[in-house]
Amino acid sequence: MRYMKHTRTYSILSIFIFLVNACGEPKTGTSKTKRPNLVFIMSDDHAYQAISAYSDHLIHTPNIDRIANEGMLFNNASVTNSICAPSRAVILTGKHSHLNGKIDNLSPFDTTNITFPQILQNSGYQTAMFGKLHFGNNPKGFDEFKILPGQGDYYNPKFITPKGDTTITGYVTDIITDLTLDWLKKRRRPDQPFLLMYLHKAPHRSWLPAERHYKEYTKKTFPLPKTLFDDYKTRGEAAKTAEMNILDHMVLNYDNKVLPGVIGELQIEDRKLHDPLKRMNASQKSAWDAIYNPINEEFKNAYPTMGDSTLMVWKYQRYMQDYLGTIAAVDENVGRLLDYLDDENLSDNTVVVYTSDQGFYLGEHGWFDKRFMYEESFKTPLLIRWPNKITPGTTSEEMVQNLDFAQTFLEIAGIIPPSDMQGKSLVPLLMGQKEKWDRDAVYYHYYEYPAEHAVKRHYGIATKKYKLIHFYYDVDEWELYDREKDPNETNNVYNNPEYAKIQLDMKLKLDTIRKKYKDSDSLSNGYLQLYKDKGWIKP
Ligand code: SGN
Ligand code: CA
């Protein structure tokens, strides 16, 4: 086990509340045995555009959809910082990145942060985590865990466990589910409520589907997004200089599975990343080759006459085939878990959440990846089922965030949250009490720059109607979007006289929300200093 150096001091109040909560009895609600189980399902980079409860133009996900059909679909859920480990830190701590300290994928997680699983464990919940954490640390507050090291692998993945590392042969999404079901069947203690974190690696890059799915998905063709050929005309530098364009930055070998031999023969310059297929065994590789070698042959013949736009479309289709192919396995496996809960009569007293660590671009604005506060990576899927509490088939348009999970789970468990958590419990929304929800804006701050994909540092505020973003550090640029009139965000109206009043209002709101969440330029400068200290940027 690896734990990072403790660098943060506890707030006295949070220690006090933590100890009070740790005494074991729920503070409100019913007796301990009746407290609901919590199943938190999170995938990595799962775009809401690829869940049929949101839209079925790309894929059918009947099992994930079940959670919304039997519960609530959130149409306005977002993240506070659209990147993996920071999102997970926000979820666990209920605090924005600038306060929990995990601003990017590179910095260590400060393990003196108090997380909601620790609080639940101390109050009598049995806790388990299976799958991708991507933290650099082992999780605290879990009776049992088996997690992938770092990003993990799709085929024959290695797992970190408290007893040491182990490698399991097979396909990662199936294996994570097997581990989860094995725990439910053999080690769940029926006298205790449980928190189960079931965390998929899929559909993260480099998008390797299971054999049963690539056979089907490599034959499909998908509709093109409206903004595939976006020219970023009204934007500032950040959108123009980001390195996540499908045509220019998606890697033919690593991402599109074009063989190095074919790339060499065609004399194409391609970035060299590691071999995505390197962990496959001989039989997995030969099954793969049987499907992907003919695709390579076709590409070899077609490439010489392809112009840029044809190549863009070809790369987009290849991207979607593999990305969505990995989601097919996630959906099937979510179905296995839901069926198990039904079969064991656990569904009635179990809250099931499905979400992603952030959204993702599926060709919108010509992109893959995430990081920006623009819609597709800011918005994240969120579906929650809680039988007898949530009216089945309901939707919520309220602005909720990954920041809210910790307090939601604590309230469901009847525990008063530490006062320094910054989210809001979603319980009133789940119970249909919209009048008890008064949030009118959400805050966002992204830090990981300079880094892969070159998305500049920015912070911003979103209301239901508008979004104001400030890009800083090596630029000082503002963007304003009218979310209702311009849902695709192709028209930056900052400094447009028609929006002068709105611009002013949004700037004032941004100042207020930064104060409310305790973010500031001086904190941002401190986080920039970390990059300077490491020599990643000039002092
Ligand atoms: C890897 C990927 C990036 C991705 C980051 C962060 N490159 O570095 O494309 O943005 O992860 O993703 S890869 O060559 O390793 O595939 S995150 O979800 O973990 O934040
Ligand atoms: Ca992610």
Side-chain angles (χ1 to χ4, degrees):
M1 271 211 247
R2 259 176 340 117
Y3 288 110
M4 293 296 165
K5 214 172 92 222
H6 292 193
T7 51
R8 177 175 294 263
T9 49
Y10 289 99
S11 114
I12 300 294
L13 191 60
S14 69
I15 296 176
F16 170 71
I17 290 170
F18 178 67
L19 292 174
V20 170
N21 281 324
C23 292
E25 287 303 317
K27 296 292 164 289
T28 60
T30 53
S31 78
K32 215 161 141 187
T33 48
K34 286 191 184 150
R35 288 192 288 169
N37 307 308
L38 302 164
V39 174
F40 182 78
I41 313 173
M42 186 162 71
S43 300
D44 193 346
D45 293 357
H46 193 167
Y48 62 87
Q49 308 92 297
I51 293 180
S52 42
Y54 286 96
S55 167
D56 62 1
H57 70 292
L58 291 174
I59 188 171
H60 284 276
T61 51
N63 295 296
I64 296 171
D65 292 2
R66 253 186 79 186
I67 300 169
N69 294 340
E70 295 164 13
M72 187 174 274
L73 180 77
F74 287 83
N75 280 324
N76 227 332
S78 62
V79 294
T80 63
N81 181 359
S82 181
I83 185 149
C84 193
S87 168
R88 289 153 202 265
V90 168
I91 289 168
L92 291 173
T93 62
K95 290 183 192 172
H96 275 279
S97 306
H98 58 271
L99 292 194
N100 73 45
K102 182 80 181 137
I103 54 154
D104 57 21
N105 276 345
L106 316 161
S107 59
F109 177 63
D110 173 358
T111 56
T112 63
N113 277 300
I114 290 174
T115 64
F116 82 82
Q118 289 171 284
I119 301 175
L120 287 176
Q121 186 186 45
N122 275 298
S123 86
Y125 267 70
Q126 189 184 4
T127 55
M129 176 188 279
F130 301 101
K132 180 172 171 183
L133 177 63
H134 189 205
F135 235 38
N137 312 82
N138 291 341
K140 278 177 139 183
F142 288 90
D143 302 335
E144 179 167 336
F145 64 84
K146 290 193 176 69
I147 54 169
L148 298 164
Q151 296 284 7
D153 288 296
Y154 276 104
Y155 279 84
N156 311 325
K158 207 194 234 186
F159 284 85
I160 301 170
T161 82
K163 293 182 193 138
D165 294 356
T166 173
T167 297
I168 305 178
T169 304
Y171 185 67
V172 71
T173 307
D174 301 334
I175 296 169
I176 291 169
T177 313
D178 293 345
L179 295 172
T180 302
L181 291 176
D182 187 67
W183 177 83
L184 279 167
K185 286 175 190 163
K186 298 186 186 145
R187 293 183 298 290
R188 182 178 73 82
R189 293 190 285 268
D191 56 330
Q192 269 178 281
F194 65 84
L195 162 71
L196 174 62
M197 297 192 83
Y198 165 57
L199 310 173
H200 283 295
K201 172 194 168 53
H204 193 273
R205 202 179 177 193
S206 54
W207 316 305
L208 303 189
E211 184 183 340
R212 60 188 186 280
H213 294 125
Y214 61 67
K215 283 186 168 154
E216 181 190 347
Y217 276 74
T218 49
K219 295 193 180 67
K220 291 184 186 249
T221 305
F222 299 95
L224 306 182
K226 278 197 190 113
T227 56
L228 184 65
F229 295 99
D230 193 349
D231 57 9
Y232 319 121
K233 210 165 72 202
T234 67
R235 322 293 179 80
E237 278 303 295
K240 290 174 183 145
T241 56
E243 294 173 2
M244 47 196 242
N245 184 278
I246 293 176
L247 178 66
D248 298 329
H249 307 107
M250 187 170 268
V251 181
L252 271 176
N253 171 243
Y254 183 73
D255 294 316
N256 296 136
K257 324 298 177 332
V258 179
L259 292 165
V262 173
I263 291 168
E265 243 179 89
L266 295 170
Q267 300 184 334
I268 303 173
E269 264 186 45
D270 196 39
R271 264 182 73 209
K272 281 214 170 19
L273 296 174
H274 63 263
D275 174 9
L277 310 179
K278 69 177 189 300
R279 286 190 68 86
M280 288 183 177
N281 61 31
S283 76
Q284 290 163 343
K285 182 68 171 45
S286 91
W288 178 275
D289 287 346
I291 302 297
Y292 283 82
N293 284 355
I295 297 174
N296 269 268
E297 271 309 302
E298 277 171 37
F299 179 71
K300 199 163 79 182
N301 296 330
Y303 181 78
T305 58
M306 276 182 180
D308 276 358
S309 57
T310 321
L311 181 58
M312 171 69 135
V313 171
W314 185 87
K315 288 176 92 172
Y316 166 78
Q317 295 294 354
R318 279 277 43 258
Y319 165 36
M320 284 300 93
Q321 290 167 354
D322 291 345
Y323 176 92
L324 296 167
T326 72
I327 289 172
V330 172
D331 187 65
E332 281 177 6
N333 279 288
V334 166
R336 286 174 70 202
L337 180 67
L338 295 179
D339 287 348
Y340 180 84
L341 297 176
D342 282 352
D343 293 346
E344 295 301 310
N345 293 321
L346 287 168
S347 294
D348 269 0
N349 197 32
T350 299
V351 180
V352 178
V353 173
Y354 187 90
T355 192
S356 169
D357 60 345
Q358 13 61 212
F360 210 70
Y361 295 96
L362 304 184
E364 298 87 0
H365 309 295
W367 288 331
F368 64 105
D369 214 67
K370 55 257 176 179
R371 298 160 190 264
F372 277 112
M373 196 191 171
Y374 303 138
E375 204 58 9
E376 290 80 4
S377 48
F378 172 61
K379 176 168 164 178
T380 198
L382 178 60
L383 303 80
I384 305 183
R385 183 180 81 175
W386 190 6
N388 306 315
K389 302 280 185 192
I390 300 178
T391 307
T394 42
T395 54
S396 172
E397 305 302 321
E398 294 309 316
M399 285 188 293
V400 302
Q401 290 202 291
N402 57 346
L403 184 70
D404 302 322
F405 287 128
Q407 278 145 280
T408 304
F409 294 142
L410 292 177
E411 180 169 356
I412 290 171
I415 297 168
I416 300 164
S419 60
D420 57 354
M421 283 189 173
Q422 297 184 299
K424 267 170 104 65
S425 165
L426 304 180
V427 168
L429 293 179
L430 302 178
M431 310 279 272
Q433 299 161 341
K434 234 173 84 178
E435 66 286 355
K436 294 194 180 155
W437 184 265
D438 58 2
R439 183 186 281 156
D440 66 350
V442 292
Y443 182 59
Y444 183 89
H445 197 154
Y446 171 80
Y447 297 82
E448 195 178 290
Y449 177 84
E452 193 176 8
H453 299 299
V455 173
K456 293 187 189 296
R457 289 174 188 238
H458 58 290
Y459 58 85
I461 183 171
T463 62
K464 282 186 180 170
K465 287 173 94 115
Y466 304 104
K467 194 184 281 178
L468 176 73
I469 313 177
H470 182 216
F471 292 93
Y472 70 97
Y473 164 53
D474 56 348
V475 287
D476 177 9
E477 291 183 334
W478 291 84
E479 295 184 7
L480 178 66
Y481 294 96
D482 185 327
R483 300 181 78 189
E484 284 176 352
K485 289 201 183 129
D486 176 29
N488 293 326
E489 298 177 332
T490 50
N491 190 20
N492 167 23
V493 292
Y494 191 81
N495 278 347
N496 175 334
E498 280 173 38
Y499 285 84
K501 184 172 174 324
I502 288 153
Q503 185 169 310
L504 192 66
D505 283 354
M506 287 298 282
K507 277 200 159 176
L508 290 172
K509 270 182 174 293
L510 178 59
D511 283 347
T512 308
I513 207 166
R514 270 163 73 79
K515 286 199 185 93
K516 170 180 162 188
Y517 287 126
K518 303 184 169 62
D519 198 7
S520 62
D521 287 348
S522 89
L523 274 178
S524 298
N525 290 336
Y527 286 124
L528 268 168
Q529 188 62 41
L530 295 179
Y531 276 50
K532 290 179 187 158
D533 295 345
K534 291 208 160 76
W536 295 341
I537 53 178
K538 289 200 190 90

